[in-house]
Amino acid sequence: LLASSAASDVYKRQRLILLLVMAVTAFSVAGVNRAVALPDGSGDAPRYFSISTNLVPWAGMHVNLAPEVLVSRHLTVQVPVLWCPWNISSRRSVKSFALQPECRRWFGGKAAGYGHFVGIHASVAWFNLRNGDNRYQWVGRPLLGIGASYGYALQLCERFGMEFTLGLGWVNMRYNRYYNIPDGALIDRSVTNYFGIDRIGVSLRYVIDLKSR
């Protein structure tokens, strides 16, 4: 019962975080729909809002969407949201919810959202994984990480484009390992640090151009 109550609290927090992300995105779209004055007073910066989905997590059955908004002429903020609720079998399942917000600086081209970019991102994730004889679940706090990435956005037509991203970062995980049976006993508690590739993206992107609105 305690485990069930804890799981329920986790899912409630995850839904709350998702609602907050949606609310922030909505307010951001409303904000960028107004003029963005350039520092030199030369006029308004091009404005846009985009939604993308990364094909790489889909290969691992992770549903994902990433809203991205303009914050200045060459800066954007993207907030990928990834969710995996699947039970693969009685002995294997992947249940996770993750956020990986990133601030991006775009180079060259006419404005943010096109061409090359570098970014700084954070990672936050909650997970409950079953694999064979063991079950792994976050404990104390979610997975946390930070990293940097490089990418390129290619526009295919007026509204649709593709984006390619590769990121390196550090991730810290605290988790319990249980026997993979109903109400399985705790085996041990671990803390793992990882440094390496933490972001791979081959994304489809839909751009909403707000400059004429």
Side-chain angles (χ1 to χ4, degrees), residues 91-209:
R91 295 182 61 78
R92 286 181 171 78
S93 69
V94 180
K95 294 186 177 181
S96 64
F97 180 83
L99 301 171
Q100 200 173 42
E102 179 173 69
C103 181
R104 296 174 166 182
R105 172 57 163 93
W106 297 80
F107 298 92
K110 54 187 177 181
Y114 304 91
H116 301 271
F117 68 87
V118 294
I120 300 293
H121 59 261
S123 300
V124 183
W126 297 260
F127 58 89
N128 187 353
L129 315 175
R130 290 187 296 156
N131 184 29
D133 295 330
N134 298 315
R135 181 173 69 85
Y136 305 87
Q137 184 172 1
W138 67 276
V139 63
R141 60 161 175 76
L143 172 154
L144 295 175
I146 189 169
S149 61
Y150 164 78
Y152 183 80
L154 174 67
Q155 203 67 12
L156 301 177
C157 61
E158 183 180 1
R159 296 294 183 210
F160 290 95
M162 293 196 70
E163 182 180 293
F164 306 91
T165 314
L166 182 65
L168 294 175
W170 166 81
V171 173
N172 177 267
M173 295 175 282
R174 298 179 181 179
Y175 58 91
N176 287 344
R177 182 164 64 108
Y178 302 90
Y179 290 108
N180 187 18
I181 57 176
D183 299 318
L186 174 67
I187 300 173
D188 56 29
R189 179 169 293 178
S190 299
V191 177
T192 299
N193 289 288
Y194 164 82
F195 180 79
I197 296 174
D198 68 339
R199 188 179 178 111
I200 299 177
V202 179
S203 303
L204 297 176
R205 185 174 67 151
Y206 179 77
V207 177
I208 301 173
D209 189 353

Side-chain angles (χ1 to χ4, degrees), residues 8-26 65 67 79-83 96-101 123-127 138 141-144:
S8 177
D9 289 342
V10 169
Y11 293 134
K12 286 179 182 178
R13 285 198 295 268
Q14 292 175 355
R15 288 195 293 269
L16 177 60
I17 292 171
L18 183 57
L19 289 173
L20 288 173
V21 170
M22 293 172 65
V24 169
T25 300
L65 283 176
V79 185
V81 180
L82 301 94
W83 179 48
S96 64
F97 180 83
L99 301 171
Q100 200 173 42
S123 300
V124 183
W126 297 260
F127 58 89
W138 67 276
R141 60 161 175 76
L143 172 154
L144 295 175

